[in-house]
Amino acid sequence: MKSMLKFVFVLVVLLLASSIVFAGDGPTTESYSIWIGGHYTEFSDYAKKVGEYNKGDNETLPEFALNYLSTGSNSIFRFTSHYYDNKNAFAKLQSTISDKMKLSVQYRSLLKQEGQDLLTNIEAREYLPATDALSGKMLTHDIQDPNADYNTHRQEILTKFSLLLSEKNNVRLNATHRMILKNGHEQKIASTHCFSCHLTSMSAEVNNTQHNLEVGVDADVANFNIGYQFGYRLYDPQNSKSITYYDDARHPTNGGSGGEFGPRVIYEDTEAEFSVVPKTEKMSHKVKFKRNVGQGYLAGVIGYASAENKFTSLKTNSYSSIFNYATFLDMKTKLITKVALSKFDSDSIYIDLPTFREGLADSNYVDFDFTRYSALNRTNVNLSAELIKRMNAKTTLSGLIGYDIVNRDNYPTVDDGLSTKKLYLQGKLKYRQGLSMRSSLKVRFEKISDPFVSGRGFFEEAGHGDARLEPLVPTSNWVFYFQRESLRYQDITTLPTQVLSFDWNMSYNPSMKLSATFGLKGKLDKNDDLDSLDVEHSSFIPSITVMYNPTERFSMHTGYSYNYDKSRLPITVAVFDG
Amino acid sequence: MKNKVCSGLLLMIVFVILLTSQSILAGVSDEVCSSCHDEVTSDFGATAHGIYFSSKSHLSDATCETCHGSGIDHIEDGNPEMIINPANSGQFGAKELCLTCHKSHKFNNWNFSAHGNADLTCADCHTVHAKVEKHVVKRSSDNCLKCHTDVRASLSMPSHHPIGEGKLECVDCHGAHGEPARLTMDNSGAELCYSCHAEKEGPFVYEHAPVMEDCMICHSPHGTIADNLLKQSEPSLCLSCHPMHFHATVVSVDGDFATPQAPERAGTSDYDSMERGFTTKCTQCHTEIHGSDLPSQATSTGGQALTR
Amino acid sequence: MTDYKSKVHNLFATMNFIASEKMRFYGMVTWNKAESALDEVQMPDLAEISALTGGDLVENQDYDFTNMNSYSDLDYTLFKFNGGFSYKLSPTMTFTFDGEYADLTDDQGYVFGNESGSYFMIRSGFNINF
């Protein structure tokens, strides 16, 4: 009912706006239509997957649509709307007055159904065949709300406004505001894992709002087209709190050894909130320009942005610039060059952890405090040049060369940083034979050095050591959890160092009544920097579509595509039994 | 006063000469065009262009040739190649024609865009001669999918953005006119995704590095078989980068069991239950996979396991 | 090492037929078969790895992942049809009737259980132009 009221409210606002728009400009032509009807929906078996974006209820509901168009001597006004049910509705108002002012307001909503993970695979207890005994590793789960109906109702109101402030320099004010509201319920899973691994599933209320605002002004000054744009984003979650109990630390079977197990967890025997989504705020400033230079165009953007997590006060700052230049070298040759530079700087934070085994009899304690440097910190450089040549009336050939550098300082998993470099070459051939045939082939090759490494990723050579642990390996009986972690998380990547891709398509139109399009996309990549692992990936997508219009009254469009994708990936196990 | 009158007369003469010379150069009236293209000219007044032209005194004399250039050669031999047709002009042709009047700053990057350099013309997406009651932009998603056929297939996959359902459109994410600033001018390449999924942006105390790097490492936005637009189902996707827990190698008891320290945590397992528990879906435990401000429980991970 | 494979077949057809000045038929049918699976996990040959790495390796245990590849397989088949007609009752009024049927078969239940299900929707109404 609330949603229905909101929808009606938006309709009223839009209609009021329309009356203001036309206050001084009576319509010269006017047309409107209404559609009144209803629908009946019936679901069977599991409705949430097949009806993911439909409301999964068996019911009959009224449905209506209203469309209105008015053209004045100096204006166009359009209103379209469709009410399907109280979770699925659409309304849009567009108004243009002369070429001076444009306004559009759009409302749309959808319902996304979510399934419930039943956690049925989380049910096990370790068994020791050699001694025919139960052991201490256990997996259990608890579903607190097995009948919960998980779904999210997403509503969006998008407002765009543009006003010509001065015809002299084409000074135009632009503003866009987008509000996204999400309401509903989602599944939250808490895990506690000291004396047993136990998952608790519960329902949590979703209630969050997101505002995206962009305001800018553009103008033509001398030979420049310049603009400034301010951006603001606020994400404000008002979700219900999810709280769970985290077990106390003790031996899984005899319940003792709390002193020994305690240091293995950061917190224990406490009720605490989990899955907290922070409120965030972001602001950006951009200056844009474009200028005709000789036979070409130069365009660029320089910007600064800052994002803040309001829960932790962590901040990210970024500085970016893009410069593009396109020029016609002659009547049949075009050159496009692009340069982009950007720098991202996200706050680091000191993580203060309980000292492992401090105060216990054994002296093998380790202080694992660390500074978390952000994986986002980086400097990006992108350079490319593309030459497009019209060989003749039918054939166009283009060649592209580009070079990207991503320089990550203080990257979490690589002590001396990680610098990824990518060289890419691309060729494209287009052929057009009048209206009867059109074809293009694009081939691209990429060579990448030091690809991105997933933080805390896996290892290739066993025994990569943490320097702090080396004196303790392998004699210590107490630091095995840290040895295990050190063994588990190392610094290789399975991302490719070579990529070859191609994209071919051909449209064939033997007559005005028949046309067929054939396509074949493919990609082959591999990482040839690894010693023993064999990582590669391939994909192929052939497709065909046919359009057939034998008469003016009948048209048909049909197509088939096949998507094949294969990844060869390593499976590694941390070679340690705690 | 006399000078002003003379100047006025002189200006008028120049204006008449200019008008006359234009008509001599152009040479074809709209009536002549109508004789063959009546389906276009008869309703032109009801098109967006027609309405706009009639509202502007300086454009009220706009003719077909204002956009299509001189029609003399075309009239003489009837060859459609002998007149400017914005619908057939690629990047080396006359597509700039539209931009002569449509000076919006949003077209600043057209010359650098994929569409602009692929010989697409404005008319490939915009129905220039349609009556205003029909949308001037061809229904966007259908229009895009005519060329991007592989995307059409992706949108029918089990996990997809609801474009086929009509809830979203291609243009919600893609700038058809070339908007390089959209993806690169803010805090990360994921800016476009964050514009709807802001809860993933952070910055978080505990990060998942690929989230900082590129959403596309794990997700394929048009559609996937696995849930949540993941390129592969779990655990395969996770195991592409991470080793699995050694617990997965442990054998489990075949039968009912209870947890000694918490008897209410009971269950039934078989020989493979531990393996099944640890190699089915990693995010059952690592729920905060996009980042979290709260530490996970185990000291050994430094709180970075993204479980809380 | 192991392989992860995805295969998707997608077939669609749309149709539009203007039977008379008053009547129009339209329809669309989509069939999508999507499956992805992990192949059986093969642990490496220790002797081979040892030769590659110069003998610097930790002995692995004889791990058994015989069933792991079956836990997360996915196999969906979606059939979807929608179609309808419109009939012009008068110059300003049109009657429309359309329907949609979708059937999803899940041959590899995942953590949400068996997700097979279907729905149909029928809709009718009157469009009035002013």
Side-chain angles (χ1 to χ4, degrees), chain A residues 267 282 344 374 408 430 458, chain B residues 118 187 191 207 213 241 295:
Chain A
Y267 43 89
K282 185 172 189 174
F344 300 88
S374 175
R408 305 171 189 83
K430 296 189 72 174
F458 66 14
Chain B
N187 272 352
E191 174 60 21
E207 299 176 340
E213 187 72 16
C241 293

Side-chain angles (χ1 to χ4, degrees), chain A residues 298-318:
Chain A
L298 177 68
V301 187
I302 298 170
Y304 164 74
S306 175
E308 182 178 4
N309 178 330
K310 306 298 273 187
F311 182 61
T312 61
S313 298
L314 284 174
K315 277 187 183 171
T316 297
N317 294 310
S318 69

Side-chain angles (χ1 to χ4, degrees), chain A residues 102-117:
Chain A
K102 289 181 183 174
L103 169 72
S104 77
V105 185
Q106 175 183 284
Y107 170 88
R108 60 184 176 181
S109 64
L110 64 88
L111 185 76
K112 186 177 190 308
Q113 304 267 16
E114 307 277 3
Q116 178 164 192
D117 184 343

Side-chain angles (χ1 to χ4, degrees), chain C residues 58-115:
Chain C
V58 176
E59 268 189 47
N60 72 0
Q61 295 181 17
D62 188 17
Y63 292 135
D64 176 11
F65 292 107
T66 311
N67 296 313
M68 171 187 164
N69 58 301
S70 64
Y71 303 140
S72 56
D73 288 353
L74 302 172
D75 186 349
Y76 296 104
T77 306
L78 174 70
F79 172 78
K80 196 171 181 179
F81 167 81
N82 61 55
F85 71 90
S86 63
Y87 184 78
K88 209 170 219 179
L89 297 168
S90 75
T92 57
M93 184 181 279
T94 306
F95 172 73
T96 62
F97 180 89
D98 54 57
E100 183 169 302
Y101 172 75
D103 180 73
L104 181 84
T105 304
D106 176 8
D107 283 329
Q108 292 279 356
Y110 192 41
V111 294
F112 304 105
N114 186 343
E115 296 177 289

Side-chain angles (χ1 to χ4, degrees), chain A residues 88 99 125 127 210 225 250 263 266-267 282 318 334 344 372 374-375 378 408 430 456 458 494, chain B residues 52 105 117-118 167 187 191 195 201 204-205 207 213 240-242 251 253 261 265 295 297 299 308:
Chain A
N88 295 276
D99 59 352
R125 182 166 179 187
Y127 171 65
Q210 180 178 333
N225 175 297
R250 49 190 153 129
I266 299 172
Y267 43 89
K282 185 172 189 174
S318 69
K334 186 177 174 184
F344 300 88
R372 193 281 280 145
S374 175
R378 65 191 57 211
R408 305 171 189 83
K430 296 189 72 174
R456 306 168 63 73
F458 66 14
T494 50
Chain B
Y52 184 74
H105 304 92
N117 294 321
K167 310 289 186 188
N187 272 352
E191 174 60 21
S195 67
E201 181 172 19
F204 296 106
V205 173
E207 299 176 340
E213 187 72 16
S240 301
C241 293
H242 301 282
V251 174
V253 66
Q261 303 306 315
R265 297 178 191 174
Q297 201 178 6
T299 314
R308 183 184 162 207

